[in-house]
Amino acid sequence: MNPFDTIRRRGTAVENAVIDEYFARRIGRREFLRYAAVLGFSAPLAARSPRLARAAACAASPAAPDSAVTVGMSVPAGLIDPLIVGDTGGICLLSQCAEYLAVSDPDLRLKPALAESWQPSADGSVWTFKIRRNVRFHDGRTLSAHDVAATIDRLADPANGSIALSAFAGTLSKGGTRALDDATVEFRLDAPNGSFPYLVSSDNYNAVILARDYAGGFERSFNGTGPFRLERYTAKARASFVRNDDYWGAKPLLSRVLFDFYDNVQAQVLAIQGGQLDVLLHVPVQGSQALLEDPRLSIVALKSSAHEQLHLRTDRGPFADKRVRRAVALSLNRRNLVRGMFRGHASPGNDSPFAPIFAATDPTVPQRDEDLAGARALLAEAGVPNGFRARLTTERFQELPDYAVVIQNALRKIGIDLTLNVEDQSAYYGRAVFGSSDWLDSEMGIEDYAHRGVPNTILMASLGSRGTFNAAHFKNPEYDRLVASYIAALDPAAQRASAGRIQRLLLEETPVITAYFYDWLSVTAMGVSGVRPTAAGQLDLSETRILER
């Protein structure tokens, strides 16, 4: 029987609307599968858990008794505490030993993990998840829906200071999560949300499921449900994990994985070229160009929504005039940035968080390009035909200092004289609250935003009138209304319609400039296969094997 017929007979109005969009060719198969997965009706269309889907293949290729790989990565920025970890190194270590309800794959499709399935209410304000049975934590206790409810409620509690609050704010509050029985969790949201499963997936890297009585001290045991369990952890130096033979899914092929921590990219480049490492978790293009052309190495390049956002202070100074902000945007040659600074490992941005990889992004919105004559005309209209002086503040991170120089040179062509202030990350972000942060208080600045499977968090936190990351101080009631409409929408047509209006509004207002979305780059040595990174920083090594040395 045709699986679409099965879905149509049993499906909701929203599910049938998704199918209609697909057969009308308004969305492709990839986009259809994304919507099907997030709405929880993709089971007839091959949405088995990625762990279970590998079981048959792994049975034919049994785990090796003594095989290991060594991964190079940046030093974790602080404690490996799931509530507050926010750096690439910490996220990677979490992904070895702990798991999410679902996993967002490179195509942004959600795959079941600790949750077997999920379903929204008719309006998307209540979501019900079925939790996988017979899963054990590394300390031997059995996972239940009560652990899931306690974990997510802990993250949603402002008293705990979790980074996940940036995703849950306005969507899920403390007390909104409860276990209905040992295998069922219900999420009652603050407002309808058509993409909610992403917020409790690997897309929200803090949302690994912990035991219900977790009270801190994760570094002592790394107690999770994942395919590897902790062997040894030395802060600021290294970590090692061994195969979890009690794992609920397909057992890892490797018996052991080791992680060496490095202070800089150049040391990692030299280590993998010298044969000391098998894998590099992540490298930026700047500083690792030699790896891109080394025939002994393979580059794993993932398209992502990660970007570096240039904010312009909209509430005071020269950038309070949107014509000046648009002039700045028109000074940049985005295609040259992609070709030059990123060697093709990026996609042009269009000054909104809607990356090309998002299914909801409206492709009919015109792409903004360099237009120096248009930029000068806008400055003249704004009453500053001869330009002005401004100060650009940013952090010393990856290619950001180089990007700041590119912006400085571009603005010089239209008469704007920029002074650059490049700071250490700690100085730039400060306390990360308004009034105590160079990031949030600067008239013009650049910050790095990590990959997300949906743009909801960036839309709200960095541009919403009450957004905690709103460095542009942008307050626009129409924008807030459109974002609320976009987030609440369940079906593709409604999402895309709201997205298109948001994209056009942001082109008109230009509170931020997003010139590119860069690829996530990982590196593997010759003879190492099955390394599966995510653009959010997780690293799946359960299928990794050594073919040759």
Side-chain angles (χ1 to χ4, degrees):
M1 180 180 291
N2 188 323
F4 291 104
D5 293 337
T6 301
I7 295 171
R8 281 198 184 279
R9 284 203 316 272
R10 302 176 181 174
T12 64
V14 171
E15 292 169 355
N16 281 305
V18 174
I19 295 173
D20 290 341
E21 287 289 296
Y22 175 58
F23 280 107
R25 298 186 178 181
R26 287 188 287 268
I27 59 175
R29 178 173 174 78
R30 178 179 295 179
E31 289 75 22
F32 169 75
L33 290 174
R34 288 185 200 171
Y35 284 113
V38 75
L39 292 172
F41 70 94
S42 57
L45 306 168
R48 290 190 301 164
S49 161
R51 305 289 194 197
L52 296 179
R54 292 199 299 262
C58 290
S61 303
D66 185 21
S67 57
V69 297
T70 303
V71 179
M73 55 179 260
S74 58
V75 180
L79 290 174
I80 311 300
D81 183 339
L83 272 72
I84 60 173
V85 72
D87 65 288
T88 299
I91 293 165
C92 177
L93 294 184
L94 280 184
S95 69
Q96 305 312 303
C97 59
E99 296 178 290
Y100 303 86
L101 293 181
V103 174
S104 179
D105 75 7
D107 288 328
L108 305 188
R109 287 179 295 182
L110 288 180
K111 301 293 184 66
L114 293 181
E116 292 185 318
S117 64
W118 48 88
Q119 192 74 32
S121 61
D123 67 348
S125 65
V126 180
W127 288 78
T128 305
F129 281 62
K130 288 294 183 181
I131 307 305
R132 194 175 299 282
R133 295 181 181 274
N134 301 316
V135 175
R136 291 188 179 278
F137 287 101
H138 297 162
D139 65 4
R141 289 185 286 176
T142 300
L143 170 77
S144 81
H146 300 281
D147 298 296
V148 175
T151 294
I152 304 302
D153 208 45
R154 190 183 300 120
L155 294 174
D157 185 351
N160 292 323
S162 172
I163 293 177
L165 286 171
S166 63
F168 289 147
T171 298
L172 180 67
S173 298
K174 177 177 170 55
T177 306
R178 62 173 182 155
L180 302 184
D181 55 43
D182 285 348
T184 310
V185 175
E186 180 184 82
F187 299 96
R188 291 191 168 271
L189 308 186
D190 301 340
N193 191 308
S195 302
F196 175 72
Y198 281 99
L199 304 189
V200 289
S201 76
S202 58
D203 201 55
N204 185 357
Y205 39 75
N206 300 99
V208 293
I209 302 303
L210 306 175
R212 72 192 76 175
D213 59 355
Y214 175 75
F218 189 80
E219 282 189 355
R220 293 193 295 270
S221 65
F222 282 69
N223 183 36
T225 61
F228 293 98
R229 56 182 176 81
L230 180 69
E231 180 182 50
R232 184 173 296 108
Y233 176 69
T234 304
K236 307 296 183 183
R238 62 189 58 84
S240 60
F241 298 84
V242 295
R243 181 190 297 134
N244 176 17
D245 289 324
D246 293 326
Y247 186 57
W248 60 268
K251 306 301 185 289
L253 302 179
L254 297 171
S255 62
R256 194 163 176 254
V257 291
L258 302 95
F259 295 85
D260 286 345
F261 306 157
Y262 291 84
D263 288 321
N264 58 73
V265 172
Q266 192 56 40
Q268 295 182 59
V269 169
L270 294 174
I272 198 164
Q273 288 185 316
Q276 299 165 312
L277 299 173
D278 301 298
V279 179
L280 288 183
L281 170 63
H282 173 60
V283 293
V285 170
Q286 297 299 312
S288 56
Q289 291 93 331
L291 302 182
L292 303 180
E293 300 173 357
D294 191 327
R296 300 169 301 165
L297 304 173
S298 296
I299 306 298
V300 182
L302 303 177
K303 288 296 178 185
S304 85
S305 62
H307 60 281
E308 283 148 352
Q309 179 175 281
L310 171 64
H311 71 259
L312 305 166
R313 189 80 182 252
T314 64
D315 62 336
R316 69 185 190 198
F319 302 118
D321 191 317
K322 66 182 179 182
R323 293 170 295 187
V324 175
R325 302 195 297 266
R326 292 206 304 269
V328 173
L330 291 175
S331 74
L332 295 177
N333 189 317
R334 296 149 201 262
R335 288 174 174 79
N336 281 352
L337 278 167
V338 169
R339 285 193 298 263
M341 197 160 70
F342 290 97
R343 297 198 171 191
H345 289 293
S347 303
N350 206 22
D351 300 340
S352 86
F354 283 96
I357 61 171
F358 291 143
T361 299
D362 186 345
T364 68
V365 176
Q367 172 65 50
R368 179 172 269 166
D369 292 315
E370 181 188 42
D371 181 359
L372 298 180
R376 295 188 190 100
L378 284 168
L379 291 180
E381 287 179 24
V384 284
N386 299 318
F388 54 87
R389 292 184 176 182
R391 182 180 176 87
L392 170 60
T393 303
T394 190
E395 54 181 310
R396 192 169 289 107
F397 178 69
Q398 294 186 171
E399 61 279 323
L400 286 185
D402 296 319
Y403 183 33
V405 173
V406 169
I407 295 169
Q408 182 184 47
N409 291 335
L411 293 191
R412 186 176 294 123
K413 296 177 183 178
I414 61 173
I416 299 177
D417 182 13
L418 277 191
T419 298
L420 301 185
N421 178 31
V422 181
E423 304 177 327
D424 290 337
Q425 284 188 304
S426 59
Y428 182 65
Y429 289 104
R431 293 175 54 201
V433 295
F434 296 104
S436 301
S437 170
D438 288 352
W439 161 39
L440 296 174
D441 303 331
S442 56
E443 68 171 343
M444 187 182 195
I446 318 171
E447 48 278 348
D448 184 78
Y449 277 99
H451 168 79
R452 293 286 191 276
V454 289
N456 302 26
T457 300
I458 308 301
L459 288 169
M460 293 189 298
S462 75
L463 288 165
S465 294
R466 292 187 290 179
T468 52
F469 302 156
N470 189 348
H473 294 248
F474 180 60
K475 298 185 187 302
N476 186 301
E478 175 64 8
Y479 172 85
D480 295 337
R481 186 189 68 77
L482 287 173
V483 169
S485 175
Y486 166 77
I487 289 173
L490 287 168
D491 70 88
Q495 282 193 2
R496 196 181 310 108
S498 293
R501 288 192 285 270
I502 293 168
Q503 290 169 253
R504 287 180 170 85
L505 184 151
L506 290 177
L507 282 175
E508 171 68 20
E509 297 290 336
T510 314
V512 298
I513 294 171
T514 305
Y516 50 78
F517 295 91
Y518 60 86
D519 299 351
W520 178 273
L521 303 180
S522 298
V523 184
T524 63
M526 183 179 294
V528 179
S529 72
V531 175
R532 302 186 185 280
T534 75
Q538 293 96 2
L539 186 64
D540 182 355
L541 297 171
S542 58
E543 272 190 292
T544 301
R545 69 182 69 205
I546 307 297
L547 301 178
E548 57 181 85
R549 285 292 186 180

